[in-house]
Amino acid sequence: MELALPEVDDGKCEGCGDCVRLCPGHAVALIAGKAVIVLPENCDYCADCEAFCPSSAIRCPFEIVMGDGAGEDS
Amino acid sequence: MPAQTDFLRPLPYFSALSDADMQRVERVALERSFERGEILFLEGEPCAGLYALKSGLVRVFKSSPEGREQVLLVARPGDTFNDIPVFDGGPNPASAAALELSTVVIIPRDAILSLVDACPPAAAIVRLFAARLRRMTTLISDLSFRSVLSRLAKVLLEAAAADGGTPAQRLTQEEMAAMVGTVRDVIGRALRLLEREGAIKMQRQKIVVVNAKKLRDMV
Ligand code: SF4
Ligand code: SF4
């Protein structure tokens, strides 16, 4: 499966670079003034970038699913 | 000491000061730098003064006796913080730590108070407001973590139950916070706790409900 990555909304990204500075894995860079996850393997989906982006331009959504056998009376 | 007027003057706190008052404030202002992770001040300690962030990023937070942290503010350059104890005379209501190399200007309490000295009614009103704000701050951090857990458990159960045929629901921590009526930071802690309890498993971009009964018991 492809590595899920934070989703950057180019329309909202102001290119302030906060996510670049704050990403613990140094996975983000600015390209043409917009945030890009340039080192996907360094991104551990901690969602810090989402928390700190002042423009709400980054989203780290989680899929919420029922595990096998999680069901009724496990 | 570097001149602070250019930095301080535009801040809402100081924009209305006379030049003479501005100079008085500037004379006693202290500039300090903190490394990433360093503590600027601790909750419960006597107040050093009003902090104005010149550069960097600072987290202002309260800690509960169980060690939970509630972020009250992420201060950015130009933000001021720790004003409650300056005006009500109590201890620091929260702690502050640098999220990256940060430079602050600290204006001692006396210098700030002297600005309202000339008008005792205004000083009394500000003191009253500060005391009210302190109580509100405490109230916010006391809001039960339990009730957050219970509402989050419900959101997760409903979202996971919807999965089956339909594409799985995708929610950011921010969206979960909005649904639960809390802030994102608390959702992060609540998710970690649910994982420790064995109710869910965080798998990168997935939250897998591994024990629905545990979640249901919390609702
Ligand atoms: S923090 Fe947000 S606005 Fe700033 S560069 Fe990153 S995505 Fe863009
Ligand atoms: S989710 Fe975390 S590791 Fe990934 S890009 Fe954002 S801050 Fe960096």
Side-chain angles (χ1 to χ4, degrees), chain B residues 12-207:
Chain B
Y13 257 100
F14 307 112
S15 57
L17 289 191
S18 68
D19 287 342
D21 278 342
M22 191 69 246
Q23 273 167 22
R24 257 190 320 130
V25 167
E26 195 196 344
R27 263 201 302 278
V28 292
L30 301 165
E31 185 170 308
R32 290 277 181 278
S33 289
F34 296 85
E35 300 289 334
R36 178 178 178 143
E38 233 185 309
I39 298 284
L40 282 68
F41 54 79
L42 285 171
E43 186 176 342
E45 282 183 350
C47 156
L50 179 74
Y51 284 67
L53 186 62
K54 210 168 174 185
S55 65
L57 205 59
V58 167
R59 186 171 58 105
V60 181
F61 60 98
K62 273 181 96 70
S63 314
S64 74
E66 314 88 71
R68 284 191 287 112
E69 278 186 5
Q70 172 102 46
V71 176
L72 300 177
L73 170 77
V74 175
R76 296 173 179 277
D79 283 339
T80 42
F81 50 96
N82 212 32
D83 37 14
I84 292 177
V86 168
F87 291 108
D88 80 354
N92 299 331
S95 308
L99 282 164
E100 60 180 37
L101 176 64
S102 299
T103 301
V104 294
V105 175
I106 307 168
I107 300 114
R109 178 163 185 258
D110 290 349
I112 300 285
L113 289 180
S114 73
L115 300 175
V116 281
D117 266 357
C119 183
I125 291 167
V126 173
R127 190 161 56 242
L128 184 75
F129 269 106
R132 289 208 174 139
L133 199 53
R134 179 188 292 273
R135 276 200 297 280
M136 293 305 287
T137 311
T138 309
L139 196 68
I140 290 168
S141 62
D142 285 351
L143 277 178
S144 160
F145 192 53
R146 274 285 137 203
S147 78
V148 167
L149 276 180
S150 132
R151 277 170 287 155
L152 179 61
K154 190 152 177 276
V155 165
L156 292 176
L157 279 171
E158 281 168 7
D163 149 60
T166 53
Q169 269 217 50
R170 298 171 82 234
L171 295 174
T172 64
Q173 295 185 39
E174 189 75 54
E175 288 157 351
M176 290 180 228
M179 293 167 86
V180 164
T182 182
V183 292
R184 187 188 178 289
D185 181 70
V186 173
I187 291 294
R189 281 200 311 269
L191 287 171
R192 284 195 292 279
L193 190 129
L194 291 178
E195 185 169 33
R196 272 204 309 279
E197 304 252 307
I200 62 168
K201 215 169 161 51
M202 307 281 294
Q203 289 176 349
R204 197 173 174 90
Q205 86 289 9
K206 259 194 200 161
I207 297 173

